[in-house]
Amino acid sequence: MKEFKHFINGQFVASSSSFENRCPADNKLIGTVYEAGKAEVDTAVKAANAAMKGPWGKLSLNARVALLYKVADRINERFEEFVDAEAQDTGKPKSLARHVDVPRGAANFKIFADVIKNVPTEAFRFEGPDGVQATNIAHRTPKGVIAVISPWNLPLLLTTWKVGPALACGNAVIVKPSEETPASTTLLAEVMNECGVPPGVFNVVHGFGPASTGELLTSHPGIDAITFTGETATGEAIMKAASVGLRDISLECGGKNSALVFADCDLDKAVAGTMRSVFLNCGQVCLATERVYVERPIFDEFVSKLAEAANKIKVGPPDDTEASMGSLISQEHQQKVLGYYELAVEEGATVVLGGGVPDMPDDINSGAWIEPTIWTGLADGARVVNEEIFGPCCHIRPFDNEDEVIALANDTAYGLGASVWTENSSRAIRVSEQLEVGMVWVNCWFLRDLRTPFGGAKQSGIGREGGVHSLEFYTELKNICIQL
Ligand code: NAD
């Protein structure tokens, strides 16, 4: 049995309260996770503040960058251990963890090491009317101690997407991974020690959110800024906590993303792309498509081709090399998704594919399995069309013209991402510009250049991550004005 301890000031420590960690693919016990209380959170915050005042605070940029490269290399050396950790915690296919989660986890350290080395700040020469002259130089300093609150869907990828830039900018971090997925962050703590990251710079406290570790951390006065990825309702709670003491926040929250498929698209590419955007990671991707709008002349063909392709998805446990889809994160989440599957029928959907739980072999039958599901025929006001489900499912609706589909796509409280499928490049730009989202993919989905802005509009978040945009959050920009 494994033990997932906190990592505070360079040491692994247990605490008095603990909970179970189970693999959602077979419900087997992986180990015990300790829950950090006030004492552990306090110690971690003190350690991080001390690290900022210690050698870490004075480390040269070159030394910091070299350390981050070392961390990335060490993740790659321990690649298969990270794959195992991620697959056991989430139930996702190891092939997916090998292809997406772990390589991106390592890349997130290198990209921000490169960004911080290469991004200039501004300088202005000032000449006043009375002849006074000055030079203004902008200078970046670390923000301080950053609380990193992560979700369970892409644990290593999303945690390092914050830890990478935070450390590159010279901050200290306290990470609270999701209670569902403690393993890869605990392994990352080992890597930090192996690479010589000074004690207190990278800390991990395990536990739950409300009335537990997450709340203790985000309301702690020793935290200078909070970066969060998770549900919009949690983002609101964190925003309230951050308002005390005016701490800065970065929020990456939920979505109800659309795909707009025009009759002039390359149909096979649109079907293949929508297959990924609906079903990757069992639909548990913040950018996943749950609303598909297809121009009427190709509606029937698109629906039948997507259903035909989705029908071939093999659902299976992490080690099954033929499986392209794993389990959901937990039995609790399975019940939530199944609740929406039932609601879709109550709301009048035509179930094109799926809608239930697949038959699985006896030894894994108690896993959080779910069928890939496609609906048509729901009204625009249906809850299934408006609420984030976070499962492998989508509703497909026909449309007749550009203005109509833009209005439909924008008719949501969320604003994270959208994909547009068309071979007409003028239309691609015209439509993309009108979509109320943070990211539009044209003839692709989740194609990520890590230098580009990532984040959501409306209730999908506040702020942008990626490239220089992450530096804006993780540094304080100071102007130094020198009168000449
Ligand atoms: P969640 O909001 O339930 O939990 C996320 C994290 O917040 C966990 O570590 C949890 O313990 C912690 N938390 C919960 N309540 C808290 C509180 N009151 N104070 C402090 N911490 C608290 O989200 P989840 O279920 O883990 O993840 C799924 C959600 O994340 C979906 O809504 C999905 O869209 C969203 N998500 C968004 C992005 C993005 O980039 N926009 C990426 C991935 C996931």
Side-chain angles (χ1 to χ4, degrees):
M1 268 317 104
K2 291 187 177 148
E3 276 195 317
F4 301 98
K5 294 182 176 170
H6 317 297
F7 182 70
I8 301 174
N9 207 21
Q11 310 273 334
F12 285 97
V13 290
S15 50
S16 54
S17 169
S18 64
F19 56 97
E20 287 181 342
N21 181 25
R22 287 184 179 271
C23 174
D26 54 16
N27 203 30
K28 288 203 180 105
L29 193 62
I30 301 171
T32 300
V33 191
Y34 291 96
E35 181 187 9
K38 189 172 179 319
E40 291 77 28
V41 170
D42 267 343
T43 316
V45 173
K46 276 194 193 112
N49 276 285
M52 289 304 297
K53 294 192 180 76
W56 174 250
K58 296 180 185 63
L59 203 64
S60 72
L61 178 61
N62 281 345
R64 226 160 54 214
V65 162
L67 209 48
L68 294 189
Y69 260 71
K70 215 168 154 184
V71 169
D73 290 341
R74 190 66 188 138
I75 293 174
N76 284 328
E77 281 163 20
R78 298 185 67 177
F79 195 90
E80 283 302 314
E81 289 175 75
F82 277 99
V83 167
D84 287 349
E86 213 68 329
Q88 273 210 323
D89 270 2
T90 60
K92 70 177 73 186
K94 284 190 178 174
S95 55
L96 181 61
R98 278 191 196 106
H99 187 65
V100 177
D101 303 71
V102 182
R104 259 295 300 277
N108 284 340
F109 286 98
K110 287 195 174 164
I111 172 82
F112 291 107
D114 293 343
V115 169
I116 192 79
K117 269 196 92 166
N118 294 305
V119 169
T121 48
E122 63 206 32
F124 284 104
R125 178 68 178 256
F126 172 79
E127 292 178 12
D130 53 358
V132 68
Q133 293 198 20
T135 287
N136 290 278
I137 306 165
H139 176 72
R140 287 188 192 280
T141 54
K143 209 158 239 174
V145 176
I146 314 282
V148 175
I149 313 280
S150 315
W152 45 255
N153 60 329
L154 301 162
L156 183 70
L157 186 159
L158 291 170
T159 298
T160 52
W161 182 235
K162 298 171 181 305
V163 172
L167 297 190
C169 293
N171 300 282
V173 297
I174 303 170
V175 183
K176 211 280 304 156
S178 167
E179 53 275 27
E180 307 280 4
T181 52
S184 56
T185 312
T186 310
L187 208 49
L188 185 61
E190 287 182 21
V191 165
M192 294 288 172
N193 258 358
E194 288 166 351
C195 294
V197 173
V201 171
F202 176 85
N203 305 276
V204 181
V205 285
H206 293 293
F208 301 91
S212 177
T213 319
E215 205 174 297
L216 286 166
L217 186 61
T218 51
S219 56
H220 199 292
I223 295 292
D224 297 303
I226 304 164
T227 173
F228 165 76
T229 298
E231 283 182 27
T232 296
T234 312
E236 288 174 352
I238 286 178
M239 206 167 164
K240 276 188 198 143
S243 71
V244 180
L246 285 190
R247 278 94 45 78
D248 203 358
I249 43 162
S250 160
L251 302 179
E252 298 286 359
C253 298
K256 187 74 183 176
N257 311 296
S258 57
L260 288 64
V261 186
F262 288 91
D264 59 12
C265 72
D266 178 324
L267 188 59
D268 289 339
K269 270 194 208 154
V271 169
T274 309
M275 275 295 295
R276 277 188 68 234
S277 75
V278 174
F279 300 111
L280 187 83
N281 207 36
C282 206
Q284 303 165 118
V285 180
C286 54
L287 307 163
T289 303
E290 291 191 1
R291 298 179 294 145
V292 184
Y293 298 106
V294 182
E295 204 167 358
R296 204 172 298 272
I298 59 163
F299 181 79
D300 290 339
E301 195 181 356
F302 182 92
V303 172
S304 74
K305 282 195 162 184
L306 192 75
E308 191 189 324
N311 200 27
K312 291 188 187 135
I313 291 175
K314 179 162 188 249
V315 178
D319 276 316
D320 182 342
T321 49
E322 312 223 305
S324 53
M325 199 170 102
S327 68
L328 289 166
I329 188 65
S330 63
Q331 290 178 335
E332 192 189 337
H333 191 52
Q334 183 196 37
Q335 289 313 307
K336 179 185 157 187
V337 175
L338 273 176
Y340 277 106
Y341 283 16
E342 281 159 22
L343 181 64
V345 174
E346 280 165 33
E347 290 188 316
T350 301
V351 182
V352 178
L353 185 79
V357 174
D359 276 334
M360 299 300 281
D362 284 349
D363 57 330
I364 55 168
N365 204 22
S366 55
W369 303 106
I370 195 88
E371 284 179 339
T373 294
I374 298 173
W375 305 288
T376 56
L378 283 168
D380 295 330
R383 280 180 55 202
V384 168
V385 180
N386 289 280
E387 296 173 16
E388 184 187 47
I389 300 170
F390 225 53
C393 53
C394 67
H395 176 251
I396 317 182
R397 180 209 196 276
F399 71 89
D400 292 300
N401 63 63
E402 222 173 271
D403 287 345
E404 180 197 10
V405 74
I406 291 167
L408 285 167
N410 286 340
D411 187 18
T412 167
Y414 292 111
L416 194 55
S419 37
V420 176
W421 298 91
T422 174
E423 291 296 303
N424 177 334
S425 50
S426 301
R427 164 177 278 158
I429 293 172
R430 192 169 59 233
V431 172
S432 300
E433 285 181 352
Q434 293 177 75
L435 293 173
E436 296 165 357
V437 293
M439 291 156 288
V440 182
W441 277 281
V442 176
N443 297 330
C444 60
W445 176 78
F446 203 175
L447 183 59
R448 293 280 298 118
D449 180 328
L450 304 183
R451 297 166 299 183
T452 60
F454 181 100
K458 293 155 72 174
Q459 290 184 24
S460 288
I462 295 181
R464 292 292 181 271
E465 299 182 290
V468 68
H469 310 284
S470 290
L471 306 192
E472 297 304 337
F473 178 72
Y474 293 106
T475 57
E476 216 44 87
L477 200 54
K478 179 192 305 183
N479 186 59
I480 301 173
C481 175
I482 308 159
Q483 186 172 347
L484 302 174

